[in-house]
Amino acid sequence: MFQNFRAILSKFLDLIPERKLYQSEYCQELDRHARIIQFPGSLIGSVALLGFAFDTDAKLHPEFPELFYYRIGFSLLCISYIFFILINHSKQTKSKLEGLVWGYVVYGYLLFTAAYYTGRIADDAPYVSGYQMVVVVLSFLPLPRKTLFIYYPISILIFVLSVLIYKPNLDTPSASYSMQNLILSYLLGIFSGLIIERYRFHSFLNHLRVIKKNEEITKTAEEIQVLKTQQDGDYFLTSLLFEPLLGKEVDGNAVTIETILNQYKKFHFRNKEYQLGGDYLSVYNLILQGKRYKAFINGDAMGKSIQGAGGAIVLGAVYNSIIIRSKMDPVSSNRSPERWLHDSYLDLQKIFETFDGAMLVSAVIGLLEESTGTLYFINLEHPWLVLYRDGRASFIEEDIHYYKLGVMEVPMNRFISVFQMKQGDKIFCGSDGKDDLVISDSGKYRDINENQNLILECIEESDGNFKTLINVLESKGKYSDDLSLISLEYNLSPDSKPGQHWKEAKKLIRKKEYSRALDLLLSYDSLLDVSITELKYITKLYEKEENLLKAMEYASLALENFPSDTSWMFHTSVLYKRLYSIFKSPSFLEESQELSERVRLRQPNNIRNLIHLADVCRLLGDKERAQYLVQQIKLANPEHKKIKELIMLIS
């Protein structure tokens, strides 16, 4: 029973732990409120009782002249506070006598003096009603609630003692009525005071919680800002490492190159905007075997922001080292474009394998020969290359045969893709940022483009113009990833048309008048006037005449001007081997092997070429290489009739 009563009383009195915990702060808040009302309160108090002092009290109670001094004393007290407050404010100082102290003193004087003189004339109902007002006022003042339990008992004691001393007549009905109202005033003052104070305390508590929460949020925001500043500094330093790795050597008239690199992550450092991401691109001039190439790469490292940037930096650093080595080392620069791409891929793959799958990069590595427009490239699980020709855009590949850089499983049948460009052709090579456009983000989830042909439509809509293409892409949707894009436009005409003797020569060939056809094709004033088709026919006509040296000369010239013809490259390799069989010069075998190896890098499953290459290696004395190639033939076609013959020759 006692515990239940205690619980009810504790709930009514709002005895919560926060009252002790925040007692000091709460008193400071009350002091602030008291300071707000002390000046207007003092002004009101200084004149509020003067009417009673100089007029009403003398008329109603001439026998009680002391009332005048109580009234005047209150006015003087308030006036003194006004001067005290003004002096402090002029000095811009705050005194402890202001605020709560002012409330205690002023209200204490009013309540206790009113209790005394009202008790003396308690039989006067109007004066008792005035005292009731003074009692109730306490519940509205910004004073601690303990004031209720201190001031009310003291005022009651003073009132009772005054009644006992002066013995006013309380037996009248009006006096009895006044006493009952006075008791109700005290009860109302206590209850309303507790309720109002409870509301005031919880308002303070909520405000304090908001302040503390704001402080926590501000502190957290400051900590986040510090961390962000540090992070932006790291981003800035990373971007400083990244920028020098971006190569763009676009000189010359053979190829027009345009690039854009727009990383999704933007940040500000020292009032400047920078970008950081996982996309990388570079275009360099490169000379291989005496021919000029545009060596380009476009990569997209796995991860966002700093993680992707780390992969892009590694990719750029390794690729730049490959380029520098190829420019400075005669051995490296004497490789075929197929071998250069293959070796570059292996170098990059070995580096990214060390990350044990934690850093993967999709990429396209390519070489564009300036004189012939032959494009060599490897696509490492990167978006397909796009060809823009005669107002139409199309993919020049339809399958992905390589994994990303860093995938531990390396394909066995690695090959180099070869494509022959024409004058006016444009090749677009870009990351998936051009495809992953946000079509709509109005719903709960973003609507990402899934149409892989969208880039083709955009290129056609922009008529192949690079700057217009960027605007068209942005009109289709917002970027959701890093965007990198390279455009390579070929400006030369690599393939000349057959000359004036071609039609007549074909008629002679059909009539099997090979000597006359050969003389006709050789009657041009300059080799520059001879087309590639005619060079090939000249080669075959010399072969029919068993003049293999002349045949090799024109075959090499045709291949020199049209290296994308893989079947002709194989034919030329076989021709070198035939020359070896006549002249026994190892240099012919070496040339034959070089061309056959290039064919193998393009077409690793070409059985005829594998058999031919294995035999060339045998003749060169490289039995280990020949045996390896025989094993490759077995894997591709185990029943091939040449396998047993090769094995016998090698052993």
Side-chain angles (χ1 to χ4, degrees), residues 238-352:
T238 305
S239 67
L240 289 181
L241 295 174
F242 185 73
E243 286 297 325
L245 301 176
L246 300 173
K248 192 178 179 184
E249 297 177 351
V250 295
D251 57 316
N253 299 320
V255 184
T256 301
I257 299 171
E258 294 178 281
T259 64
I260 184 174
L261 180 61
N262 181 20
Q263 308 284 21
Y264 186 74
K265 172 65 179 178
K266 303 291 192 299
F267 67 95
H268 288 83
F269 187 76
R270 294 178 179 173
N271 298 322
K272 290 185 179 180
E273 186 179 77
Y274 299 90
Q275 60 178 359
L276 192 71
D279 275 18
Y280 173 77
L281 56 80
S282 277
V283 182
Y284 287 102
N285 295 322
L286 192 62
I287 296 177
L288 297 175
Q289 296 180 334
K291 292 186 176 182
R292 282 176 58 87
Y293 293 85
K294 292 296 184 185
F296 66 92
I297 184 172
N298 177 222
D300 183 1
M302 180 184 70
K304 300 293 183 182
S305 300
I306 198 74
Q307 182 187 3
I313 288 173
V314 174
L315 177 66
V318 178
Y319 184 73
N320 274 266
S321 69
I322 293 171
I323 293 293
I324 293 170
R325 184 174 68 236
S326 300
K327 288 184 175 183
M328 299 182 66
D329 181 16
V331 176
S332 296
S333 63
N334 196 36
R335 289 175 292 174
S336 66
E338 294 91 348
R339 175 57 60 189
W340 187 89
L341 283 173
H342 182 265
D343 292 348
S344 298
Y345 161 70
L346 291 180
D347 288 345
L348 289 166
Q349 174 64 17
K350 287 175 184 177
I351 293 298
F352 280 94

Side-chain angles (χ1 to χ4, degrees), residues 85 96 169 233 253 281 306 326 340 345 358 492 598 617 639:
I85 292 167
K96 291 183 178 180
N169 183 15
N253 299 320
L281 56 80
I306 198 74
S326 300
W340 187 89
Y345 161 70
L492 304 182
R598 291 180 66 181
C617 290
E639 303 298 327

Side-chain angles (χ1 to χ4, degrees), residues 96-328:
K96 291 183 178 180
L97 297 178
E98 301 179 51
L100 283 179
V101 174
W102 171 86
Y104 290 142
V105 173
V106 173
Y107 182 74
Y109 178 90
L110 180 63
L111 180 64
F112 298 148
T113 56
Y116 168 72
Y117 65 70
T118 304
R120 182 171 177 177
I121 53 176
D123 53 349
D124 190 335
Y127 276 82
V128 175
S129 64
Y131 179 57
Q132 293 169 12
M133 292 175 58
V134 173
V135 169
V136 174
V137 163
L138 178 59
S139 61
F140 298 98
L141 294 177
L143 298 174
R145 67 175 181 173
K146 64 182 180 181
T147 312
L148 293 170
F149 303 106
I150 296 174
Y151 276 30
Y152 277 171
I154 293 175
S155 65
I156 292 171
L157 179 61
I158 294 173
F159 181 81
V160 171
L161 289 175
S162 179
V163 169
L164 292 176
I165 294 171
Y166 295 104
K167 297 182 176 56
N169 183 15
L170 301 180
D171 294 333
T172 63
S174 69
S176 177
Y177 183 80
S178 297
M179 291 302 105
Q180 292 179 40
N181 284 342
L182 182 59
I183 294 171
L184 290 175
S185 298
Y186 272 109
L187 293 175
L188 180 63
I190 291 173
F191 280 98
S192 60
L194 290 174
I195 293 170
I196 293 172
E197 193 277 340
R198 180 175 183 158
Y199 172 78
R200 185 183 291 124
F201 177 75
H202 281 277
S203 296
F204 154 77
L205 191 60
N206 291 334
H207 180 66
L208 185 65
R209 287 170 178 166
V210 170
I211 291 174
K212 288 186 176 293
K213 195 67 178 178
N214 288 341
E215 289 176 352
E216 292 176 5
I217 293 172
T218 302
K219 185 178 179 181
T220 303
E222 290 174 352
E223 292 174 354
I224 292 173
Q225 185 60 41
V226 170
L227 292 174
K228 186 180 183 304
T229 302
Q230 294 174 350
Q231 184 184 61
D232 288 347
D234 294 338
Y235 285 168
F236 174 69
L237 293 175
T238 305
S239 67
L240 289 181
L241 295 174
F242 185 73
E243 286 297 325
L245 301 176
L246 300 173
K248 192 178 179 184
E249 297 177 351
V250 295
D251 57 316
N253 299 320
V255 184
T256 301
I257 299 171
E258 294 178 281
T259 64
I260 184 174
L261 180 61
N262 181 20
Q263 308 284 21
Y264 186 74
K265 172 65 179 178
K266 303 291 192 299
F267 67 95
H268 288 83
F269 187 76
R270 294 178 179 173
N271 298 322
K272 290 185 179 180
E273 186 179 77
Y274 299 90
Q275 60 178 359
L276 192 71
D279 275 18
Y280 173 77
L281 56 80
S282 277
V283 182
Y284 287 102
N285 295 322
L286 192 62
I287 296 177
L288 297 175
Q289 296 180 334
K291 292 186 176 182
R292 282 176 58 87
Y293 293 85
K294 292 296 184 185
F296 66 92
I297 184 172
N298 177 222
D300 183 1
M302 180 184 70
K304 300 293 183 182
S305 300
I306 198 74
Q307 182 187 3
I313 288 173
V314 174
L315 177 66
V318 178
Y319 184 73
N320 274 266
S321 69
I322 293 171
I323 293 293
I324 293 170
R325 184 174 68 236
S326 300
K327 288 184 175 183
M328 299 182 66

Side-chain angles (χ1 to χ4, degrees), residues 576-618:
Y576 272 111
K577 182 183 174 184
R578 290 175 63 188
L579 282 169
Y580 169 76
S581 65
I582 297 173
F583 298 100
K584 303 301 180 182
S585 173
S587 62
F588 290 134
L589 277 182
E590 290 171 358
E591 289 292 337
S592 179
Q593 182 188 27
E594 168 71 8
L595 292 175
S596 185
E597 288 285 6
R598 291 180 66 181
V599 172
R600 181 175 179 270
L601 285 171
R602 298 183 188 188
Q603 300 175 348
N605 294 322
N606 187 328
I607 300 297
R608 288 181 63 204
N609 182 65
L610 288 174
I611 293 169
H612 164 68
L613 181 57
D615 194 42
V616 170
C617 290
R618 176 189 67 82

